[in-house]
Amino acid sequence: MQLSPRLKLIADLVKPGSVLADIGTDHGYVPVYCVSKGICPKAIAMDVNSQPLEKAKENISKYGLEDFITTRLSDGLEALSAEEADSVVIAGMGGLLIMNILEQGAHLLGKDTQLLLQPMLAQKELRQYLYIHGFEITDEYVCREDDKFYNIISAKLSSDKGTVLSSAENDRTIPLSDLIIGKNIDKNSPDVYPEYLDYKIGVCSKIINGLKMSKTDKTEELIEITAELEIFLNERKRFDEA
């Protein structure tokens, strides 16, 4: 099976020998790939909608993997048994939705459960959520697919098993640069990293220009996005000089 660069990177990051749960599996490409390549002995393909799950079943059957991959209709992690999966992929959805899935289903995760999260939006907000709610970001990667860049966050629970802490319970001041840049992307994705930084610099600059042209007061938004632009510019300079 040929995967897109985004899905291929996610699949290659799955812990070898683990039982995989793919949340929002769509066509089941990642479970089929991981099981057919011997990365995982078995997998669970889960989706909140029945139509993509039927497509996943077709692909599983096409590759003769019915004995190794099960499908489940599930809202997030709810159809997963406690500690049933060693690796959990939540990809191709917004960061806020990923946060909600983790909030509702963290009690089903073990201390060593690998989380591979690929937010389409709200990457900064997802990182902040993880930092202050009992998760540890272990690594982060970025890949380019056509003209888009995708962040993949590798994380795990750092608090007691299945515990999502409130902000008050884990009151931490997280440096803005940690929320904006991500962890170890320069080391994990060095070939793509300069282009990624240039892309983010361009996005920030475009937003700033739009805010400056607004007829309403956008001072607060301008301050925020200007700070982000400065972080990306400084990181680009640091990377070039390294």
Side-chain angles (χ1 to χ4, degrees):
M1 170 175 281
Q2 181 113 13
L3 296 181
S4 66
R6 175 179 68 94
L7 294 182
K8 177 71 162 52
L9 179 54
I10 292 169
D12 287 344
L13 292 172
V14 172
K15 186 165 52 179
S18 64
V19 175
L20 169 66
D22 185 26
I23 314 303
T25 194
D26 197 22
H27 287 55
Y29 293 139
V30 171
V32 167
Y33 180 91
C34 287
V35 173
S36 65
K37 295 294 184 182
I39 298 170
C40 299
K42 61 180 182 177
I44 308 155
M46 307 168 71
D47 206 286
V48 70
N49 296 310
S50 58
Q51 188 171 354
L53 211 56
E54 288 302 318
K55 292 290 185 181
K57 288 179 182 178
E58 291 176 12
N59 282 320
I60 292 165
S61 177
K62 176 182 176 181
Y63 287 89
L65 299 174
E66 296 94 331
D67 292 339
F68 307 98
I69 304 175
T70 59
T71 59
R72 295 179 192 171
L73 195 63
S74 178
D75 186 0
L77 294 160
E78 68 174 11
L80 196 67
S81 299
E83 298 187 57
E84 184 178 13
D86 307 304
S87 296
V88 173
V89 169
I90 311 176
M93 58 190 79
L96 301 183
L97 179 54
I98 293 175
M99 288 159 51
N100 184 63
I101 289 171
L102 294 175
E103 186 82 23
Q104 300 301 319
H107 62 286
L108 302 169
L109 305 174
K111 186 75 161 57
D112 296 319
T113 302
Q114 176 195 38
L115 292 170
L116 292 173
L117 313 174
Q118 188 268 298
M120 304 295 281
L121 301 166
Q123 293 89 351
K124 178 180 70 173
E125 290 79 4
L126 177 57
R127 292 186 189 109
Q128 184 173 39
Y129 174 86
L130 293 169
Y131 275 122
I132 67 176
H133 287 88
F135 295 88
E136 175 189 352
I137 296 176
T138 55
D139 265 311
E140 193 166 343
Y141 306 77
V142 69
C143 74
R144 181 170 186 166
E145 191 172 304
D146 298 325
D147 60 344
K148 295 182 179 179
F149 292 87
Y150 298 96
N151 298 83
I152 294 108
I153 299 170
S154 178
K156 64 178 183 177
L157 276 167
S158 60
S159 61
D160 291 338
K161 180 182 68 177
T163 302
V164 173
L165 302 178
S166 68
S167 300
E169 289 173 310
N170 190 19
D171 187 13
R172 297 178 58 192
T173 301
I174 313 299
L176 183 60
S177 58
D178 288 0
L179 301 179
I180 300 301
I181 297 294
K183 186 173 184 177
N184 295 335
I185 301 180
D186 57 337
K187 298 179 179 66
N188 294 328
S189 306
D191 294 340
V192 184
Y193 195 53
E195 295 177 71
Y196 169 70
L197 291 175
D198 290 342
Y199 169 77
K200 298 298 284 187
I201 289 167
V203 169
C204 289
S205 299
K206 186 175 181 179
I207 293 172
I208 288 170
N209 289 336
L211 290 172
K212 287 180 177 179
M213 294 175 64
S214 175
K215 294 180 180 179
T216 58
D217 184 11
K218 299 293 183 179
T219 302
E220 187 174 335
E221 293 95 328
L222 266 171
I223 291 171
E224 181 179 349
I225 197 66
T226 301
E228 292 187 18
L229 174 61
E230 190 67 24
I231 288 170
F232 283 121
L233 287 169
N234 288 337
E235 179 63 10
R236 186 64 163 96
K237 181 179 178 181
R238 183 203 66 79
F239 186 82
D240 288 341
E241 294 175 349

